[in-house]
Amino acid sequence: MLTPDTERQLMQTAQSLSGMSLGELAGKLDVRVPVNLNKEKGWIGLLLERALGASAGSKPLPDFPELGIELKTLPIDRNAKVLETTFVCVAPLTGMSGVTWQTSHVKKKMAKVLWVPIISERQLPVAERIICTPFLWQPDAEEETLMQADWQELTDMIVLGEVEKISGKYGEVMQLRPKAANSKVKTSAFDKHGRPFQTLPRGFYLKTGFTQHLLNKHLRID
């Protein structure tokens, strides 16, 4: 697909996919549909990126760099209940001194997001999962304040050498979790004495309560 030149063009293409099954979309793009997503967790996102002409690839930029828009799929059930947390970006565990919220990857990624809800109940075969109406979101002042507070708390813990203490209970709307294909993948971090050690890579994730709030706001559900 061609990279969209304008926000309007991107939204029109995204809206044209609404109601389509993943199998139908994959057929149009001549893409193989996996039997399950156990070993291909990012497959749905990659399919949508291809369909919409995302160009960032694996670079630490929004998926549509020219438009400053990130693409995120949102797995929901038939009752519009969000089913899982949303990966934002990998969390750097070293070189964090001097990094601020304003210069962080999280802020850049979350500045403007095209959300594509997908009915993804576990019992539904991948090919039969349905793309729902997309919506464009920019955080309002309150939403950004919540994300910033969590980012600051989690980043402070990383800088202070307490990454191993961080669990899913930290953060009101965003959490830090291991992000690796398997437990053999390691990355460098520092302990509280400033000594380097190897640990699992971590990623920032939006909690389901927050993405549910965004979806409800879009659907105008109180």
Side-chain angles (χ1 to χ4, degrees):
M1 281 301 273
L2 291 171
T3 302
D5 294 321
T6 65
E7 189 177 291
R8 185 177 178 192
Q9 193 181 351
L10 172 60
M11 289 307 295
Q12 284 175 337
T13 307
Q15 284 161 354
S16 74
L17 305 180
S18 184
M20 201 181 282
S21 72
L22 294 181
E24 288 171 325
L25 180 57
K28 284 190 171 194
L29 298 173
D30 198 23
V31 171
R32 179 190 65 85
V33 181
V35 177
N36 62 60
L37 301 176
N38 293 346
K39 293 183 178 175
E40 299 185 63
K41 290 191 185 302
W43 183 84
I44 295 176
L46 291 172
L47 180 71
L48 269 292
E49 283 179 20
R50 184 164 170 182
L52 296 170
S55 62
S58 58
K59 299 187 197 111
L61 298 167
D63 293 306
F64 302 92
E66 298 81 6
L67 305 176
I69 295 174
E70 177 76 358
L71 172 67
K72 291 293 181 194
T73 57
L74 192 61
I76 60 173
D77 68 12
R78 290 167 208 272
N79 299 313
K81 182 188 174 195
V82 176
L83 297 174
E84 57 189 62
T85 57
T86 300
F87 174 67
V88 177
C89 61
V90 171
L93 302 184
T94 59
M96 291 295 284
S97 301
V99 177
T100 65
W101 167 249
Q102 296 301 328
T103 60
S104 69
H105 288 325
V106 174
K107 179 172 169 61
K108 287 174 188 165
K109 289 274 191 182
M110 293 290 102
K112 191 181 277 191
V113 180
L114 172 60
W115 291 98
V116 183
I118 298 178
I119 296 175
S120 301
E121 291 161 338
R122 202 152 284 183
Q123 68 273 21
L124 265 182
V126 176
E128 292 175 28
R129 297 180 183 187
I130 304 295
I131 301 167
C132 301
T133 307
F135 63 99
L136 199 59
W137 167 75
Q138 278 183 278
D140 61 25
E142 184 183 357
E143 291 160 350
E144 179 159 352
T145 297
L146 288 167
M147 289 192 293
Q148 180 176 354
D150 288 345
W151 177 87
Q152 193 66 60
E153 178 187 26
L154 296 166
T155 299
D156 286 349
M157 290 184 76
I158 293 170
V159 171
L160 292 170
E162 297 183 332
V163 66
E164 299 283 80
K165 284 188 181 176
I166 300 173
S167 68
K169 72 180 182 184
Y170 286 93
E172 192 174 338
V173 300
M174 190 166 61
Q175 59 187 190
L176 193 76
R177 289 215 319 266
K179 167 73 175 171
N182 58 64
S183 59
K184 292 176 185 168
V185 178
K186 300 286 189 197
T187 191
S188 296
F190 292 99
D191 67 17
K192 63 182 180 181
H193 303 292
R195 293 180 299 228
F197 72 101
Q198 295 292 297
T199 186
L200 289 170
R202 303 301 204 277
F204 288 109
Y205 290 79
L206 295 180
K207 293 188 173 185
T208 55
F210 186 62
T211 50
Q212 188 72 60
H213 150 78
L214 303 184
L215 181 61
N216 290 355
K217 195 163 74 164
H218 161 65
L219 297 171
R220 294 182 170 82
I221 298 171
D222 293 327

